[in-house]
Amino acid sequence: MASVTNFNPHGVFLPLFLVLAATATATTRPYPFLPRPRVGYYGSACWNVESIVRSVVQSNYFTNPANAPGILRMHFHDCFVRGCDGSILLDGPDSEKTAIPNQSLRGFNVIEEAKTQLEIACPLTVSCADILALAARDFVVLTGGPWWPVPLGRLDGRVSLASNVDLPEPTDSVAVQKQRFAAKYLNTQDLVVLAAGHTIGTVGCGVFRDRFFNYKNTGSPDPTINPNFVPQIQSQCPLNGNAATRVTLDLGSEGQFDTSYLNNLRFGRGVLESDQFLWNDPETRSIVERLLGLRFPFLPSGPEFARSMSKMSLTEVKTGLDGEIRSVCSAIN
């Protein structure tokens, strides 16, 4: 477990020029009175925004470490539906929260707690979308992952519809995954690097259990799974067990941000079929090998994850008249 002192000074620092390069690919609508997101956006208007969010994240991490993968997943789900605009946080009978893939999300209370404190320190200044982006980074750091400067200045979206939720599926082929990521201006390397965030993730048994018992109605497990891995998962997710029971995606290194998840794919120990495909496909396999230091040129996994996270966090952000600053994250003003 990483200590709280592992933030900026002791984490892996992503150089500002890489953030600016990622920013250049963001899909935002220019607006003359509100610059696109940038590092240090709030300045004196809310000089302690990052320390306030970090303090809330730390207390909630030590109370419940499961908040780390929960918030990271929430940020991903937010960015992949109408961009990184905090729309995942809105309540409503047909909001994004109600979509099946989002019903198991956790950590909404963390974002709301940070928002409450920020409304006291600097009212109607910091967006919920920015809070979520900061919280995702800070939770990653607490699990031993990299630190990176988060560009700020997103606005909160006003639309949140379950019907808009179309997220990557656990059975997606590499070709489908590439299409989904390309639609968000993320390339194949970003796909593999961001999937590596599963190193701290968990998944409900109902999402993948058929793969370990009755793959494609064959009555047998997926033949690409390591035979020694099958009974291990079957014992945690019995055929008639609770579909909501959660299993770590990185057995042997649960809750720690490292390359163990990627290494498991080498040996057929990927829980999700979509993850295992990343090793079976030649193009994505070469990226996994570079992240593991098995193929030249090497890709340092920490800085690469930081770069791709910063890039993703700028997906279709709302600026100018496209959004607002909410006073509470669960409702539009």
Side-chain angles (χ1 to χ4, degrees), residues 56 60 67 71 74 106-115:
V56 171
N60 280 276
N67 280 316
I71 293 294
M74 186 188 299
R106 70 188 83 186
F108 292 102
N109 61 302
V110 178
I111 306 304
E112 210 62 77
E113 181 181 341
K115 180 60 172 174

Side-chain angles (χ1 to χ4, degrees), residues 47 92 112 118 123 150 195 235 307 321:
W47 63 270
E112 210 62 77
L118 284 166
V150 176
S235 66
R307 183 196 62 80
L321 301 178

Side-chain angles (χ1 to χ4, degrees), residues 3 43-45 73 96 206 229-230:
S3 69
S44 60
R73 181 173 173 235
E96 291 174 29
F229 188 50
V230 172

Side-chain angles (χ1 to χ4, degrees), residues 6-20 22-23 38-40 50 53-54 57 68 71-73 75-76 79 84 129-152 154 193-194 196-197 199-200 257 300-314:
N6 277 348
F7 279 86
N8 185 353
H10 303 288
V12 177
F13 182 81
L14 182 67
L16 181 57
F17 76 87
L18 288 179
V19 171
L20 294 177
T23 303
R38 66 178 188 275
V39 175
E50 296 207 27
V53 173
R54 183 167 62 245
V57 164
I71 293 294
L72 181 59
R73 181 173 173 235
H75 184 40
F76 181 89
C79 291
C84 307
D130 277 350
I131 295 171
L132 182 53
L134 286 169
R137 187 271 310 273
D138 291 347
F139 273 116
V140 165
V141 171
L142 285 171
T143 64
W147 183 95
W148 63 93
V150 176
L152 301 174
R154 302 163 190 79
V193 169
L194 291 173
T199 183
I200 61 171
F257 196 99
S301 60
E304 287 302 320
F305 184 79
R307 183 196 62 80
S308 291
M309 281 294 293
S310 182
K311 183 178 176 181
M312 183 193 74
S313 78
L314 294 168

Side-chain angles (χ1 to χ4, degrees), residues 219-231:
S220 303
D222 180 350
T224 66
I225 304 172
N226 186 320
N228 296 323
F229 188 50
V230 172

Side-chain angles (χ1 to χ4, degrees), residues 15-320:
L16 181 57
F17 76 87
L18 288 179
V19 171
L20 294 177
T23 303
T25 66
T27 56
T28 61
R29 180 186 300 175
Y31 188 72
F33 305 113
L34 185 63
R36 70 193 333 174
R38 66 178 188 275
V39 175
Y41 174 85
Y42 291 107
S44 60
C46 196
W47 63 270
N48 54 348
V49 54
E50 296 207 27
S51 63
I52 289 175
V53 173
R54 183 167 62 245
S55 176
V56 171
V57 164
Q58 289 173 347
S59 64
N60 280 276
Y61 176 77
F62 293 123
T63 299
N64 181 10
N67 280 316
I71 293 294
L72 181 59
R73 181 173 173 235
M74 186 188 299
H75 184 40
F76 181 89
H77 284 209
D78 184 44
C79 291
F80 263 63
V81 180
R82 298 183 61 84
C84 307
D85 65 351
S87 55
I88 187 66
L89 304 168
L90 287 170
D91 287 336
D94 299 306
S95 70
E96 291 174 29
K97 279 185 182 180
T98 67
I100 291 176
N102 292 333
Q103 290 176 7
S104 58
L105 288 177
R106 70 188 83 186
F108 292 102
N109 61 302
V110 178
I111 306 304
E112 210 62 77
E113 181 181 341
K115 180 60 172 174
T116 298
Q117 293 194 21
L118 284 166
E119 284 303 296
I120 295 172
C122 28
L124 289 178
T125 302
V126 180
S127 69
C128 299
D130 277 350
I131 295 171
L132 182 53
L134 286 169
R137 187 271 310 273
D138 291 347
F139 273 116
V140 165
V141 171
L142 285 171
T143 64
W147 183 95
W148 63 93
V150 176
L152 301 174
R154 302 163 190 79
L155 290 180
D156 296 321
R158 300 185 181 94
V159 177
S160 182
L161 296 171
S163 58
N164 288 332
V165 175
D166 182 20
L167 295 164
E169 299 281 352
T171 57
D172 281 348
S173 66
V174 169
V176 171
Q177 292 182 65
K178 288 167 65 175
Q179 289 173 358
R180 291 183 183 276
F181 275 69
K184 302 301 177 184
Y185 301 91
L186 298 168
N187 59 33
T188 304
Q189 183 171 305
D190 295 318
L191 158 63
V192 176
V193 169
L194 291 173
H198 284 166
T199 183
I200 61 171
T202 62
V203 62
C205 289
V207 173
F208 67 90
R209 184 162 47 197
D210 283 353
R211 182 173 179 243
F212 284 80
F213 285 95
N214 185 27
Y215 182 63
K216 295 185 176 179
N217 297 315
T218 60
S220 303
D222 180 350
T224 66
I225 304 172
N226 186 320
N228 296 323
F229 188 50
V230 172
Q232 187 176 354
I233 295 297
Q234 288 179 336
S235 66
Q236 296 184 49
C237 290
L239 187 58
N240 297 315
N242 187 346
T245 298
R246 300 194 71 79
V247 172
T248 179
L249 289 168
D250 188 4
L251 276 78
S253 183
E254 182 175 0
Q256 295 296 307
F257 196 99
D258 53 28
T259 58
S260 172
Y261 153 85
L262 294 173
N263 202 48
N264 283 340
L265 300 184
R266 292 178 61 201
F267 301 103
R269 294 169 60 87
V271 176
L272 299 179
E273 186 175 23
S274 56
D275 286 351
Q276 192 60 55
F277 282 150
L278 299 179
W279 180 257
N280 299 340
D281 179 89
E283 181 182 8
T284 51
R285 177 175 180 164
S286 68
I287 298 171
V288 173
E289 289 175 329
R290 292 173 65 195
L291 290 167
L292 288 171
L294 301 174
R295 179 191 289 262
F296 187 80
F298 302 145
L299 287 172
S301 60
E304 287 302 320
F305 184 79
R307 183 196 62 80
S308 291
M309 281 294 293
S310 182
K311 183 178 176 181
M312 183 193 74
S313 78
L314 294 168
T315 300
E316 299 173 278
V317 298
K318 306 297 186 293
T319 60

